[in-house]
Amino acid sequence: MASFEVALNEFLFIFTLLFVGNSTYLDDHGPPPQKVLPFPSQVVYNRVGKCGSRTVVLLLRILSEKHGFNLVTSDIHNKTRLTKNEQMELIKNISTAEQPYLFTRHVHFLNFSRFGGDQPVYINIIRDPVNRFLSNYFFRRFGDWRGEQNHMIRTPSMRQEERYLDINVCILENYPECSNPRLFYIIPYFCGQHPRCREPGEWALERAKLNVNENFLLVGILEELEDVLLLLERFLPHYFKDVLSIYKNPEHRKLGNLTVTVKKTVPSPEAIQILYQRMRYEYEFYYYVKEQFHLLKRKFGLKSHIRKPRPRPEFFIPSPLETEEPIDDEEEDDEKWLEDIYKRNKSSLHNTAALTTEMRRQ
Ligand SMILES: *[C@@H]1O[C@H](CO)[C@@H](O)[C@H](O)[C@H]1NC(C)=O
Ligand SMILES: *[C@@H]1O[C@H](CO)[C@@H](O)[C@H](O)[C@H]1NC(C)=O
Ligand SMILES: *[C@@H]1O[C@H](CO)[C@@H](O)[C@H](O)[C@H]1NC(C)=O
Ligand SMILES: *[C@@H]1O[C@H](CO)[C@@H](O)[C@H](O)[C@H]1NC(C)=O
Ligand SMILES: *[C@@H]1O[C@H](CO)[C@@H](O)[C@H](O)[C@H]1NC(C)=O
């Protein structure tokens, strides 16, 4: 752990030198020592459900071919917590992957060093907790741009009462789906596999924060996705070089088809207040991460995204981000869409990558 921190600090420091030209290091200390930039060759993106990871995984498919790293995904989409043996097995398995690799799965933080492995560099993206919750609530019931009918066929076991359950009833009448511990969702991804990591409270919150500092190279904020991609490109160029131009490429956008077709209703102000209250630890974590993210942005010369305060929370502003990432813990396997798109559009994906390379050359 300690050596990881040293390496990480060195790594960030060298980047600071490279990207923030007016460092005073030279004046204070003489020429910087000659050091080889540590190249992280083991990266884990333990992606949080409904926080844009669909988009990022699609980008990673393109990037892995473009830059020649090993993208290791998992067929398991609904199991975020593991027994000790399962952790050991998975860590062993990931560690033997050909490097450089990027492993991604919906899984709570895995402590590689606990099992004698090298701790990889972690990255992740989170979003406003209430928006994440609502996005998941309506996705579970009505699906996304692939259509409501389609979704109903894919989820035949959901009872009508559940599918059409009014969100206000769910919240105000304390249905499990709208109460703790189910609302304690983001923190465990950062806290880890310890059972207390799933108990809403200070212990898990503090451990999650500590872990963000010690093991995560970057935790981005979905609301500022372009800046997240820009920082990833700077921190992990061997994986993410050109990601922003690929993301902004209209061809690529078409592929993701991010049209909002989900039936959504805004909960009453009273219900939203209750959600805020139930999710106070999640918010404390979210604001902590957001602040860290903004500090990092400033350090690398990016302006923080300052929005004028709005009179009320801006739920359901139709934006492409609203339909991101269908998968949730305890959910059906639903990432087949990605495989399907990828298979169907393999050639156009290649074209997008080629096009982007071409654009960069000019
Ligand atoms: C380990 O990796 C292999 C191949 O990469 C895969 O087939 C297998 O399912 C993995 N096992 C576990 C426990 O993840
Ligand atoms: C990971 O495991 C090591 C060794 O057991 C321990 O010192 C450390 O606190 C653990 N970190 C987390 C975040 O669980
Ligand atoms: C995939 O590619 C085919 C043929 O190039 C095209 O007709 C189709 O619209 C594409 N699908 C998406 C989702 O872009
Ligand atoms: C994108 O979604 C729209 C509306 O939901 C649909 O009409 C269109 O066919 C979709 N395009 C692709 C390429 O999937
Ligand atoms: C996860 O999904 C698989 C099939 O997609 C299913 O068999 C299994 O029961 C699910 N596990 C959990 C914990 O929901």
Side-chain angles (χ1 to χ4, degrees):
M1 182 77 80
S3 69
F4 174 86
E5 262 183 88
V6 171
L8 189 60
N9 282 336
E10 234 164 57
F11 178 66
L12 287 176
F13 173 68
I14 291 168
F15 265 104
T16 311
L17 284 185
L18 288 177
F19 292 102
V20 185
N22 54 354
S23 165
T24 57
Y25 187 91
L26 284 177
D27 306 329
D28 295 339
H29 299 83
Q34 285 293 326
K35 280 209 177 103
V36 181
L37 186 68
F39 167 52
S41 57
Q42 303 172 75
V43 178
V44 173
Y45 170 33
N46 62 326
R47 59 193 199 274
V48 180
K50 304 298 290 174
C51 292
S53 66
R54 176 199 282 192
T55 299
V56 177
V57 172
L58 196 52
L59 289 167
L60 281 168
R61 301 247 175 199
I62 298 169
L63 292 166
S64 69
E65 295 202 8
K66 192 170 153 70
H67 301 317
F69 64 84
N70 182 12
L71 178 63
V72 186
T73 55
S74 170
D75 294 334
I76 304 165
H77 305 298
N78 58 358
K79 193 165 153 69
T80 53
R81 29 188 191 267
L82 308 173
T83 65
K84 197 173 163 188
N85 275 340
E86 286 168 338
Q87 291 172 52
M88 214 146 56
E89 278 300 304
L90 181 59
I91 287 171
K92 210 161 69 188
N93 212 357
I94 299 169
S95 299
T96 57
E98 193 190 333
Q99 296 181 17
Y101 70 73
L102 189 148
F103 173 76
T104 182
R105 171 172 163 179
H106 290 295
V107 66
H108 295 164
F109 177 80
L110 295 164
N111 190 347
F112 281 56
S113 53
R114 180 169 169 225
F115 298 101
D118 292 339
Q119 200 76 290
V121 161
Y122 271 83
I123 55 172
N124 219 328
I125 301 176
I126 64 172
R127 75 190 287 189
D128 177 273
V130 164
N131 278 341
R132 197 215 71 82
F133 164 77
L134 294 175
S135 174
N136 185 59
Y137 186 90
F138 294 106
F139 174 78
R140 279 193 65 226
R141 288 167 171 75
F142 306 111
D144 57 10
W145 53 271
R146 287 166 292 175
E148 188 176 325
Q149 289 309 319
N150 209 333
H151 185 76
M152 293 194 184
I153 292 162
R154 291 200 322 272
T155 55
S157 61
M158 188 180 276
R159 288 169 299 114
Q160 292 295 89
E161 306 95 85
E162 183 180 1
R163 198 185 301 277
Y164 294 101
L165 175 62
D166 185 304
I167 180 111
N168 290 310
V169 172
C170 183
I171 297 166
L172 299 174
E173 297 184 11
N174 305 322
Y175 281 58
E177 184 179 356
C178 298
S179 306
N180 276 311
R182 294 271 292 273
L183 293 179
F184 196 69
Y185 181 86
I186 298 173
I187 287 173
Y189 278 89
F190 297 87
C191 177
Q193 296 287 340
H194 194 289
R196 287 191 78 182
C197 285
R198 293 171 324 247
E199 289 171 18
E202 289 291 336
W203 189 88
L205 169 66
E206 290 309 319
R207 189 157 161 149
K209 285 184 187 169
L210 191 72
N211 226 357
V212 165
N213 294 338
E214 289 185 344
N215 290 298
F216 283 79
L217 178 63
L218 181 71
V219 184
I221 296 294
L222 181 64
E223 293 83 355
E224 298 166 39
L225 183 60
E226 291 195 4
D227 289 335
V228 177
L229 297 178
L230 205 60
L231 286 179
L232 284 171
E233 193 165 333
R234 288 190 179 180
F235 293 169
L236 298 171
H238 290 80
Y239 293 87
F240 286 98
K241 189 164 179 294
D242 295 336
V243 67
L244 195 55
S245 60
I246 296 170
Y247 173 70
K248 285 180 159 176
N249 186 316
E251 281 303 308
H252 173 257
R253 300 218 131 176
K254 218 165 52 193
L255 204 62
N257 200 1
L258 301 170
T259 317
V260 183
T261 55
V262 184
K263 250 188 208 155
K264 286 175 175 172
T265 46
V266 185
S268 68
E270 185 196 358
I272 286 180
Q273 279 313 313
I274 290 173
L275 275 184
Y276 277 138
Q277 175 59 21
R278 288 181 190 163
M279 298 175 101
R280 61 191 177 280
Y281 293 112
E282 293 274 278
Y283 270 98
E284 210 175 306
F285 182 72
Y286 173 71
Y287 289 131
Y288 177 79
V289 165
K290 192 168 174 171
E291 193 183 311
Q292 303 280 95
F293 181 66
H294 285 169
L295 282 173
L296 212 52
K297 274 172 59 170
R298 274 204 291 284
K299 201 158 153 183
F300 290 94
L302 304 176
K303 285 213 170 63
S304 282
H305 195 74
I306 310 277
R307 278 199 201 148
K308 282 193 186 136
R310 291 174 189 246
R312 59 190 183 89
E314 40 179 304
F315 299 112
F316 306 124
I317 307 288
S319 87
L321 298 180
E322 283 298 321
T323 55
E324 303 287 345
E325 224 297 304
I327 294 306
D328 196 5
D329 192 10
E330 295 142 2
E331 277 273 278
E332 48 143 12
D333 172 359
D334 196 23
E335 272 189 9
K336 277 206 114 33
W337 73 271
L338 186 60
E339 304 300 331
D340 293 347
I341 284 191
Y342 187 61
K343 270 185 220 134
R344 264 194 298 130
N345 291 75
K346 208 162 174 27
S347 60
S348 47
L349 279 178
H350 279 293
N351 291 344
T352 305
L355 190 77
T356 315
T357 314
E358 205 47 48
M359 276 162 39
R360 301 283 296 196
R361 237 184 243 132
Q362 287 162 10

